Structures are given as C-alpha cells and as structure tokens.
Amino acid sequence: MAKKKILVVEDDRDISELITYNLEREGYEIACLYDGSQVVDFVHKRKPELIILDLMLPEVDGIEICRTLKSDSATKQIPIVMLTAKSEEADVVVGLQMGADDYIPKPFSPKVLVARIKAITRRTADLQLSSAASDNARSFGDFKMDLLKHKVSYRAKEVKLTSIEFDIVEFLSRSPGRVWTREQILDNVWKEGKFIIDRAVDVHVRGLRKKLGAAEVYIETVRGVGYRFKDVE
C-alpha cells in the first residue's frame, strides 16, 4: 500500500523535525516547506493527501495559503490542519471559516498530533469510499441516524428532535471530528436565516444535548470556536 503523503509547512525547523519524526514512524511520507511562498505551487504539483500548516509563516501567511487552496477546485478537497499559538484564537476561527479541517494549538503532544492526523486521514478515506454510495443512514456505535425518516436513536431508543435539532446533528455528523464555527453551522443549517444571531446555535445545541441524554457526549464544544461531532473509531 502506498504511503499517504503529508506536507508540513512550518518555519521552526525543530517543530518540523518533531512532526516529521513522529509521522514517519506511523508510515506517512513527509515533505517539508519552511515558508509560505512555495506552498501553492508544491500542492498543485505533488497533491499531498493532507497539509499541516503553521499560521505564522514568512513570505505568505497560513491564512492566505488556506484561502487560496480552499478556493481552488483542484486543491479544495485536500484536508488542512492548522498549527496555532494560543494567542491566535481569532485566526483559528477565520481559518475554519475558509475551510480548514482542524487545528492543533502549540505546544502540542506528539501523541495528540498523530491521533488527530490519523483521524482526519481515516475520515477522508471513508468519505471517498462512500461518496458514490447512498447515504440514507449513519451509525456511530449506539448512535443511529435515519436520514430519510429524520430519526435519531440511541441504544435502540428513539430521540425526539425538532427539525432544526436534527439538521444540526445531521450537519455535524457528516464529518466526525471536524470543528465547525457557529457561523458555518448557521450558514449550512439555517441557510436563508442570515438574520439569526450565532448564539441561536448555542441555544439549540443546549436543547439538543438535553434530549440526547447520555448521547450528548457525541456533540462536543470546542471552546472559543464552535462544535464538532465526536470522532468514533
């Protein structure tokens, strides 16, 4: 089986070497760039399966790179994981709104890094395998969804949800583990409801969790950013 190719864009060579060492141990093929000027050309030529992208880069910053790649039909499907400092919370939100798939704050544990990368590459592979298949049902352990009947059940017991609550679960569960901002949830769930404030999402999520009971663990809060559906092996 061919190794999955990952591009690491990080100007701190010690961090780049740490990432490379840990991911190569897991069987990934790693390429490294140390500033933002070459990234877009490299991605077009080499087509990596995933990009680990530092936000603070020489020449061209990570936000601009993310914007460029996610607005290009040839590269927008490549997952991007942002590396961020704790002080860059606002940039995290901007990056996620532009289509980045996840973020990892510095300093990070190599074990956490590897686990997150594995989860994203696995999720991407699963989506590719199911892209041509009918997606009328989803199953996450004891958590089941029937998309045709708009029903959710947990441990074989139906959970009665409003249409908005169901739509929130349906949207988040499309990409388990991916973080979505409140604005993205509004845009995708309410669609035409631009007048609705983003805090409406919090209100509906609180009601959703109350109804889910023990299954509320599937709806995870990412502080300062938004929500995600729990990534289950």
Side-chain angles (χ1 to χ4, degrees), residues 171-190:
F171 174 66
L172 294 177
S173 67
R174 292 177 198 174
S175 303
R178 174 168 179 171
V179 184
W180 298 96
T181 67
R182 292 174 177 84
E183 184 177 342
Q184 287 173 318
I185 296 171
L186 281 174
D187 288 345
N188 285 275
V189 173
W190 274 265

Side-chain angles (χ1 to χ4, degrees), residues 143-206:
F143 191 98
K144 314 289 184 184
M145 297 184 67
D146 186 323
L147 303 188
L148 288 180
K149 296 180 180 180
H150 274 226
K151 288 184 177 181
V152 168
S153 64
Y154 182 63
R155 294 178 180 170
K157 184 177 180 180
E158 184 178 351
V159 181
K160 298 288 187 180
L161 302 179
T162 67
S163 60
I164 287 293
E165 289 166 348
F166 179 87
D167 287 346
I168 291 173
V169 174
E170 190 280 324
F171 174 66
L172 294 177
S173 67
R174 292 177 198 174
S175 303
R178 174 168 179 171
V179 184
W180 298 96
T181 67
R182 292 174 177 84
E183 184 177 342
Q184 287 173 318
I185 296 171
L186 281 174
D187 288 345
N188 285 275
V189 173
W190 274 265
K191 297 180 177 65
E192 302 301 325
K194 297 294 186 179
F195 58 92
I196 299 173
I197 61 173
D198 62 1
R199 290 302 171 186
V201 175
D202 298 334
V203 173
H204 285 285
V205 168
R206 282 199 297 271

Side-chain angles (χ1 to χ4, degrees), residues 10-202:
E10 166 62 68
D11 63 321
D12 186 320
R13 290 178 183 260
D14 289 337
I15 294 177
S16 182
E17 288 175 6
L18 176 66
I19 295 171
T20 298
Y21 172 75
N22 282 278
L23 291 181
E24 284 184 341
R25 288 180 62 189
E26 298 297 326
Y28 295 102
E29 178 183 332
I30 308 300
C32 298
L33 294 175
Y34 304 103
D35 66 60
S37 64
Q38 307 171 58
V39 176
V40 174
D41 285 343
F42 181 96
V43 172
H44 275 278
K45 291 175 182 176
R46 299 282 295 276
K47 291 296 193 319
E49 272 86 11
L50 183 141
I51 302 166
I52 299 176
L53 179 65
D54 186 26
L55 289 188
M56 300 297 292
L57 291 167
E59 305 295 338
V60 183
D61 66 37
I63 292 293
E64 182 59 33
I65 293 169
C66 184
R67 179 189 291 112
T68 301
L69 293 175
K70 289 298 183 178
S71 63
D72 187 331
S73 60
T75 57
K76 66 180 182 180
Q77 298 303 324
I78 300 174
I80 294 176
V81 178
M82 301 180 297
L83 290 180
T84 70
K86 288 185 177 180
S87 61
E88 296 168 348
E89 185 176 281
D91 289 330
V92 168
V93 174
V94 171
L96 291 170
Q97 288 173 340
M98 289 177 184
D101 293 75
D102 205 347
Y103 74 98
I104 299 175
K106 299 176 184 177
F108 56 83
S109 158
K111 288 184 178 180
V112 170
L113 172 76
V114 169
R116 298 280 276 277
I117 298 306
K118 281 185 174 181
I120 292 168
T121 54
R122 182 182 68 246
R123 182 172 77 225
T124 303
D126 289 345
L127 287 172
Q128 290 171 344
L129 286 174
S130 64
S131 62
S134 175
D135 188 21
N136 295 327
R138 293 177 195 161
S139 179
F140 309 93
D142 292 327
F143 191 98
K144 314 289 184 184
M145 297 184 67
D146 186 323
L147 303 188
L148 288 180
K149 296 180 180 180
H150 274 226
K151 288 184 177 181
V152 168
S153 64
Y154 182 63
R155 294 178 180 170
K157 184 177 180 180
E158 184 178 351
V159 181
K160 298 288 187 180
L161 302 179
T162 67
S163 60
I164 287 293
E165 289 166 348
F166 179 87
D167 287 346
I168 291 173
V169 174
E170 190 280 324
F171 174 66
L172 294 177
S173 67
R174 292 177 198 174
S175 303
R178 174 168 179 171
V179 184
W180 298 96
T181 67
R182 292 174 177 84
E183 184 177 342
Q184 287 173 318
I185 296 171
L186 281 174
D187 288 345
N188 285 275
V189 173
W190 274 265
K191 297 180 177 65
E192 302 301 325
K194 297 294 186 179
F195 58 92
I196 299 173
I197 61 173
D198 62 1
R199 290 302 171 186
V201 175
D202 298 334

